[in-house]
Amino acid sequence: MQDTTAHHFTLNTGAQIPAVGLGTWQTGGDVCRAAVKTALEVGYRHIDCAHLYGNEVEVGQALSEALSGGLPGLKREDLFITSKLLFATTAPKRMDAILEVSLKNLKLSYLDLYLVHWPVSAQVGDATDPPYQQGKPTLRIKEAWQAMESLLEKGLVRAIGVSNFNILQLEELLSFAKITPAVNQVELHPFWRQDELVKFCQSRNIHVSAHTPLGVPGSNLRSMQDDASNGEHELLSPSLPIVFTRSPSGHAPLLRMSSVEVISERLNKTSAQVILRWGIQRGTSVLPRSLHPDRIRLNFDILSWSLSEEDWEEINSISPQARLIDSKHSFLSVNGPLQAVAEIEDDEPIGG
């Protein structure tokens, strides 16, 4: 169990990443701006973004408002802003242009962290047209990572990393990388702990950050929505196409089969708080996403208390393990590193 008092974790760059950040997947419009504004007011300093999410403009508006007097005393250096490159979607020489779009949308001059969103690449397509919709993918992750490394030299980003990489893919990347990824952002929660991946990353001084730690959208979770433990599910922002609904307790049936609910009742905390606290004590930063002000506040209220060693170990023993992002859309193949994107339906989810 890691330091139970941690509010930040130190990256291999020497920079500190906040233990709790706000996820912005599947939000947009006024509700996105309001969520980011609430999070900053509550005390969040890490906002996790991606070009794929289609909401960097709204996030940028909220950041700009906060930095221009909306939150007196708040400075850019107080914030930790992450964004992601959708796959390696273009020739590396175009990566600067893609990053500049994100910086312009976010109204920033640099990012604290820039991630390769998925461990795949494509010869065609751009940041708004996923490659699986335009042409046959090809493996160009080496060239893409070299281009990512060059962004550091230009001062456009302070750290680079990856997202949704497994051990095989990380080993392949490390075989040619001059700069070790600072972060690997992956799906992590008590019901999909990925113990070996976390251990591998920590042994290589790669910080692990947990995306979608409280449940994910997807057709395979729709039947669970009526069982939501907190009484309601969150819809996508009305400004985005309604393709999925998101259940914040998509793992609700698992909660009732686990010790999480018992622990949360005994500690007078929500199950979400217990799960997020477990993640921090594991040494991983967590990125819960919510549009509801009360939940945004509760999800941040996990830094002044801790789980006992007994409770923490109890959560570590939960079984069975169940991945909530459908693996057929995750592009993480056990057959080898750096797999190409398979053909998938345009209206299917591709994960967080």
Side-chain angles (χ1 to χ4, degrees):
M1 183 167 62
Q2 300 288 320
D3 180 5
T4 60
T5 64
H7 287 207
H8 297 80
F9 297 102
T10 302
L11 302 180
N12 57 25
T13 63
Q16 289 192 320
I17 184 172
V20 186
L22 179 74
T24 61
W25 181 26
Q26 294 194 326
T27 66
D30 290 341
V31 291
C32 176
R33 286 191 292 272
V36 174
K37 179 180 178 181
T38 297
L40 294 174
E41 290 172 347
V42 167
Y44 289 74
R45 292 298 177 259
H46 182 189
I47 307 298
D48 181 68
C49 313
H51 191 97
L52 174 64
Y53 301 166
N55 58 9
E56 288 183 330
V57 170
E58 291 90 337
V59 174
Q61 290 169 344
L63 293 176
S64 178
E65 179 181 339
L67 291 170
S68 61
L71 281 179
L74 183 69
K75 300 183 291 293
R76 170 63 183 94
E77 54 266 32
D78 298 329
L79 300 176
F80 191 100
I81 308 300
T82 298
S83 193
K84 308 178 189 76
L85 171 74
L86 174 59
F87 310 134
T89 51
T90 64
K93 65 183 180 182
R94 292 184 58 195
M95 195 175 294
D96 284 15
I98 296 173
L99 175 58
E100 288 293 347
V101 170
S102 288
L103 291 174
K104 181 179 179 180
N105 289 342
L106 293 167
K107 302 182 186 298
L108 300 174
S109 60
Y110 69 90
L111 292 174
D112 296 276
L113 178 64
Y114 198 41
L115 306 177
V116 177
H117 205 152
W118 291 96
V120 293
S121 59
Q123 194 168 28
V124 296
D126 62 27
T128 57
D129 295 307
Y132 57 81
Q133 293 179 342
Q134 292 205 19
K136 184 178 179 180
T138 184
L139 301 181
R140 302 181 64 191
I141 209 76
K142 181 175 182 179
E143 292 84 355
W145 186 252
Q146 291 172 338
M148 291 282 284
E149 291 175 332
S150 72
L151 297 177
L152 282 171
E153 300 173 1
K154 298 171 184 176
L156 298 174
V157 299
R158 300 291 173 86
I160 55 176
V162 296
S163 183
N164 303 303
F165 274 52
N166 64 20
I167 292 176
L168 287 173
Q169 292 151 351
L170 285 169
E171 288 178 332
E172 178 73 8
L173 177 61
L174 291 172
S175 72
F176 56 73
K178 294 181 180 178
I179 298 174
T180 300
V183 171
N184 185 21
Q185 187 186 119
V186 295
E187 177 190 342
L188 291 177
H189 42 76
F191 316 108
W192 188 246
R193 292 188 302 271
Q194 301 206 70
D195 293 327
E196 293 305 313
L197 175 62
V198 172
K199 291 177 183 177
F200 176 87
C201 289
Q202 292 174 342
S203 72
R204 301 303 194 279
N205 201 18
I206 300 171
H207 175 71
V208 181
S209 191
H211 72 61
T212 54
L214 298 177
V216 298
S219 58
N220 59 323
L221 298 180
R222 289 184 186 277
S223 63
M224 298 181 183
Q225 290 173 357
D226 292 337
D227 295 326
S229 62
N230 55 16
E232 59 179 314
H233 62 272
E234 294 187 7
L235 295 177
L236 300 189
S237 162
S239 68
L240 299 177
I242 303 300
V243 179
F244 323 109
T245 56
R246 177 191 191 88
S247 171
S249 56
H251 49 290
L254 292 173
L255 283 175
R256 284 197 282 273
M257 291 188 294
S258 76
S259 57
V260 172
E261 187 174 46
V262 175
I263 294 171
S264 66
E265 290 179 354
R266 175 161 44 78
L267 296 179
N268 195 28
K269 304 293 182 181
T270 68
S271 293
Q273 287 176 309
V274 169
I275 290 172
L276 295 173
R277 183 66 223 182
W278 166 85
I280 290 176
Q281 290 182 214
R282 197 184 189 203
T284 62
S285 55
V286 294
L287 301 166
R289 171 270 196 197
S290 181
L291 304 179
H292 297 282
D294 288 344
R295 287 190 206 146
I296 291 173
R297 293 184 178 91
L298 285 171
N299 288 344
F300 192 72
D301 184 20
I302 57 175
L303 300 174
S304 60
W305 55 277
S306 62
L307 299 172
S308 68
E309 182 79 25
E310 181 181 7
D311 288 343
W312 191 76
E313 291 293 351
E314 180 71 20
I315 294 174
N316 283 332
S317 67
I318 288 175
S319 63
Q321 291 288 286
R323 185 174 194 160
L324 297 181
I325 294 179
D326 191 337
S327 60
K328 71 180 179 179
H329 301 300
S330 70
F331 316 117
L332 304 184
S333 171
V334 297
N335 298 321
L338 306 181
Q339 299 300 304
V341 183
E343 291 186 6
I344 60 177
E345 297 297 327
D346 292 347
D347 61 351
E348 289 286 325
I350 59 173

